[in-house]
């Protein structure tokens, strides 16, 4: 079942996803939501597509861009940080572009940031020259530095970057951050975003010219549909008309809302009930912000299907 020479395989699409890590589950969930189902190989490294001719290869995330470049896989789901790092690395040695981001997937969000000693006040142009910066993303960091003409030493490390300053291997770090807790626990403060990252669908720099083009098109359309509705919620609340502009500012991701006057207030001044389809994640924090801004009786309803 598992063919080894993918380069000769032209009738099925093969997607690389992370075997075990932050991106594994959400990648599988997204593909499943797009209607894909599989038969797993015994070693769980290869999933044979049943509902569509789309197979999965489960690998280390760092291998994904290379697998696309080599034609072993057609597409991959990988962090933008990994994809861009390897693109810049290829570029720096004059290799032609072999992969690019096809879609942002909306999960695995994080930021590549500097982590500096807590007592520093950030002044990169004057502070960084001659400093040693530990990172697992040397090409991304080198580009950031050279864009600003800052001569600093890039110390490449494959893991545990955050402890480098304590061990005296570096003066500061440039590392992935989500909550920032790891940096803070190591006496560093996160500052300056070098890259905003999330999982992306990566594909070859050029599209496909055989039957895989049609399969990839179908898959992309389904993924777009799933992503559009994934975080969408119907938000309902009441408020006085006077505070509506302020409330709408808190809802930049909302479609134009339906606004209904509540009984006895048809003079354009009283209270309204409002419903709006929101595409961003409706967190408790956002609901609390809306409440503070004057929304009452807030309700968040799931959206099952949408046909525009
Ligand atoms: O084995 P394999 O090589 O496949 O896995 P991996 O260990 O390289 O990858 P994994 O699963 O750790 O991360 C995969 C991808 O998830 C990364 O390339 C990013 O695109 C994305 N991602 C999202 C993150 C984080 N969030 C994140 N927080 N990757 C790493 N981290 C690290 C961070 O650097 C810190 O050390 O997690 C730690 C906790 O972060 P804080 O800021 O919340 O403390
Ligand atoms: Zn990795």
């Amino acid at each position: 079942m598992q063919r080894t020479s993918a380069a000769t395989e032209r009738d099925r699409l093969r997607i690389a996803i992370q075997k075990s890590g932050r991106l594994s589950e959400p990648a599988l969930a997204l593909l499943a939501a797009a209607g894909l189902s599989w038969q797993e190989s015994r070693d769980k490294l290869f999933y044979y597509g049943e509902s569509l001719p789309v197979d999965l290869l489960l690998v280390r995330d760092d291998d994904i861009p290379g697998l696309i470049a080599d034609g072993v896989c057609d597409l991959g789901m990988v962090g933008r940080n990994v994809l861009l790092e390897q693109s810049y690395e290829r570029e720096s040695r004059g290799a032609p572009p072999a992969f690019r981001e096809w879609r942002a997937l909306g999960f695995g969000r994080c930021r590549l940031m500097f982590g500096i000693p807590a007592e520093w006040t950030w002044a990169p142009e004057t502070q960084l020259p001659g400093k040693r910066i530990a990172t697992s993303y040397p090409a991304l960091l080198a580009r950031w530095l050279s864009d600003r003409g800052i001569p600093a030493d890039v110390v490449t490390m494959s893991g545990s970057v955050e402890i480098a300053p304590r061990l005296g291997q570096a003066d500061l770090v440039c590392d992935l951050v989500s909550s920032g807790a790891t940096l803070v626990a190591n006496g560093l403060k996160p500052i300056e975003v070098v890259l905003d990252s999330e999982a992306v669908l990566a594909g070859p720099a050029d599209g496909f010219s055989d039957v895989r083009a049609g399969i990839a098109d179908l898959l992309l359309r389904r993924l777009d549909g799933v992503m559009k509705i994934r975080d969408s919620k119907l938000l309902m609340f009441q408020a006085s008309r006077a505070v509506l502009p302020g409330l709408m500012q808190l809802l930049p991701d909302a479609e134009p809302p339906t606004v209904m006057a509540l009984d006895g207030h048809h003079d354009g001044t009283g209270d309204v009930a409002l419903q709006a389809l929101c595409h961003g994640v409706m967190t408790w924090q956002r609901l609390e912000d809306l409440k503070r801004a004057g929304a009452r009786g807030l309700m968040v309803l799931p959206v099952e299907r949408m046909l525009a």
Side-chain angles (χ1 to χ4, degrees):
M1 177 177 75
Q2 183 172 350
R3 280 172 266 181
T4 45
S5 172
T8 59
E9 186 180 44
R10 291 288 175 258
D11 54 344
R12 301 180 67 85
L13 201 68
R14 186 179 282 183
I15 308 181
I17 64 169
Q18 193 186 21
K19 181 177 188 300
S20 64
R22 287 187 166 79
L23 309 181
S24 313
E25 248 190 62
L28 274 175
L30 178 58
L31 290 165
L36 271 66
S37 63
W38 312 272
Q39 179 109 45
E40 297 172 25
S41 70
R42 206 167 300 144
D43 58 11
K44 294 204 185 322
L45 295 178
F46 188 82
Y47 286 23
Y48 184 83
E50 290 187 320
S51 53
L52 282 180
V54 178
D55 306 326
L56 304 183
L57 199 64
L58 280 73
V59 298
R60 287 203 54 191
D61 66 344
D62 318 73
D63 294 336
I64 291 175
L67 289 168
I68 297 171
D70 294 343
V72 176
C73 289
D74 302 307
L75 301 172
M77 290 186 173
V78 63
R80 179 180 295 134
N81 47 301
V82 170
L83 192 73
L84 266 186
E85 171 68 21
Q86 296 194 23
S87 297
Y88 289 173
E89 191 278 324
R90 286 179 68 91
E91 211 177 306
S92 72
R93 52 184 167 83
F99 39 77
R100 65 177 168 84
E101 178 175 329
W102 280 24
R103 285 292 189 286
L105 297 175
F107 59 88
R109 283 185 208 280
C110 57
R111 301 187 291 180
L112 183 65
M113 297 182 76
F114 288 98
I116 61 174
E119 64 276 10
W120 284 15
T121 310
W122 183 237
E125 267 83 6
T126 52
Q127 201 166 43
L128 294 187
K131 294 284 195 322
R132 296 160 304 158
I133 312 175
T135 190
S136 303
Y137 298 91
L140 280 165
L141 174 58
R143 177 152 315 199
W144 189 93
L145 291 168
S146 81
D147 283 351
R148 288 158 185 78
I150 300 175
D153 289 342
V154 176
V155 180
T156 305
M157 298 180 62
S158 57
S160 303
V161 168
E162 66 278 359
I163 61 171
R166 264 198 295 154
L167 298 180
Q169 294 165 303
D171 303 299
L172 68 156
V173 305
C174 179
D175 198 9
L176 294 179
V177 173
S178 47
S179 70
T182 304
L183 287 186
V184 171
N186 285 280
L188 301 169
K189 71 176 166 195
I191 201 142
E192 182 98 37
V193 178
V194 173
L195 178 74
D196 262 307
S197 187
E198 63 187 280
V200 302
L201 181 72
D206 312 314
F208 304 107
S209 52
D210 52 29
V211 68
R212 288 172 300 171
I215 309 172
D217 258 11
L218 176 78
L219 182 71
L220 277 177
R221 261 183 285 126
R222 288 200 191 175
L223 288 177
D224 287 342
V226 173
M227 288 192 289
K228 180 148 193 246
I229 202 168
R230 186 173 42 192
D231 293 327
S232 298
K233 294 276 184 286
L234 188 66
L235 178 69
M236 300 174 66
F237 59 84
Q238 298 184 3
S240 80
R241 240 178 234 284
V243 300
L244 273 192
L247 287 169
M248 292 318 295
Q249 271 182 12
L250 295 174
L251 296 168
D253 55 341
E255 302 273 340
T258 308
V259 182
M260 294 157 285
L262 288 175
D263 271 355
H265 292 288
H266 292 280
D267 54 359
T269 57
D271 286 2
V272 293
L274 183 142
Q275 63 184 50
L277 184 65
C278 296
H279 295 294
V281 182
M282 202 43 73
T283 57
W284 281 108
Q285 174 77 54
R286 291 190 70 187
L287 293 180
E288 286 152 7
D289 290 346
L290 288 164
K291 189 172 160 67
R292 256 192 301 279
R296 299 187 311 272
L298 282 149
M299 237 189 305
V300 181
L301 283 74
V303 179
E304 193 150 306
R305 287 202 182 85
M306 222 160 48
L307 196 59

